[in-house]
Amino acid sequence: MPALRTLISAEQIGERVREMGEQIDADYPEGPLYLISILKGSFVFLADLIRTLKRHTVRVEFMGISSYGSAKTSSGQVKVTRDLDLSIEGQHVLIVEDIVDSGVTLSYLTRVLAQRRPRSLEIATLLDKPERRVQPVDVKYVGFEIPDEFVVGYGLDYAEDFRNLSAICILGE
Ligand code: PRP
């Protein structure tokens, strides 16, 4: 069995997600807010985050992104594998991610979505590993900054396993 060490407990996550939801509610005017969840890792964070929002006009959409070649370096190539099926022109859009690592995925995605002329475009991520950044990304809402450790749980996987853990854990040998 691989060793799992808790980095952020379920209670700490719950508390922080509530704070993020309050901030988001305060920052956006009444009216539709489109949360775009990037598959697959963000689905748990998304599910908790939307339930902390007080507004009744939260819309949820999903996008799939895949990385090819040297994905975790600045030369990593990214492509949309599942696109939105509606226009976001003129809408407030908040991208929901589980983790920002190299920044390659989000810098690509923000370029793609900005071309569609949303009214606003921001990013909310549960986790941020700033040490790993190779492409700059402007992230408005960050749950936790974490060290450069391999983490799983709360939606994040290792070879598709561990997504169901309720805490964020460091995966050891
Ligand atoms: C993770 C995460 C981001 C991306 C961040 O997805 O959900 O989309 O990596 O990394 P980057 O900042 O280096 O681009 P992953 O490829 O693990 O897919 P998954 O969410 O389907 O597990």
Side-chain angles (χ1 to χ4, degrees):
M1 283 287 282
L4 290 170
R5 185 158 54 87
T6 299
L7 179 67
I8 308 169
S9 70
E11 292 70 28
Q12 288 172 301
I13 296 170
E15 171 84 0
R16 186 72 187 113
V17 172
R18 265 192 303 283
E19 289 173 0
M20 293 175 84
E22 278 173 22
Q23 189 64 55
I24 291 166
D25 256 334
D27 287 352
Y28 286 91
E30 277 302 321
L33 171 61
Y34 284 80
L35 300 187
I36 299 186
S37 167
I38 310 307
L39 297 168
K40 303 174 192 170
S42 64
F43 78 101
V44 179
F45 176 42
L46 173 83
D48 282 347
L49 183 67
I50 54 166
R51 286 177 291 172
T52 69
L53 298 177
K54 300 280 184 278
R55 67 189 56 234
H56 296 149
T57 50
V58 187
R59 315 265 169 92
V60 175
E61 300 292 332
F62 295 91
M63 280 185 86
I65 305 284
S66 72
S67 307
Y68 293 98
S70 181
K72 302 300 180 201
T73 68
S74 54
S75 60
Q77 295 212 332
V78 186
K79 150 174 150 177
V80 174
T81 54
R82 186 206 188 279
D83 207 340
L84 301 174
D85 37 32
L86 82 177
S87 166
I88 54 168
E89 188 169 347
Q91 303 293 345
H92 289 293
V93 172
L94 182 59
I95 299 170
V96 178
E97 262 292 21
D98 50 334
I99 188 164
V100 186
D101 193 335
S102 68
V104 170
T105 304
L106 278 173
S107 71
Y108 169 81
L109 190 62
T110 48
R111 278 199 305 278
V112 167
L113 294 181
Q115 285 167 3
R116 301 180 188 182
R117 293 192 279 183
R119 183 159 176 193
S120 68
L121 180 63
E122 301 290 352
I123 298 167
T125 186
L126 182 72
L127 305 176
D128 184 11
K129 271 188 192 174
E131 282 172 58
R132 296 262 302 170
R133 201 76 90 249
V134 294
Q135 286 191 13
V137 189
D138 191 9
V139 184
K140 184 159 187 188
Y141 305 99
V142 175
F144 302 92
E145 282 194 4
I146 61 167
D148 185 13
E149 300 271 9
F150 196 94
V151 289
V152 295
Y154 199 74
L156 288 93
D157 73 309
Y158 170 65
E160 297 301 326
D161 289 338
F162 304 106
R163 293 194 198 271
N164 60 316
L165 297 174
S166 54
I168 300 286
C169 298
I170 295 173
L171 185 64
E173 293 304 309

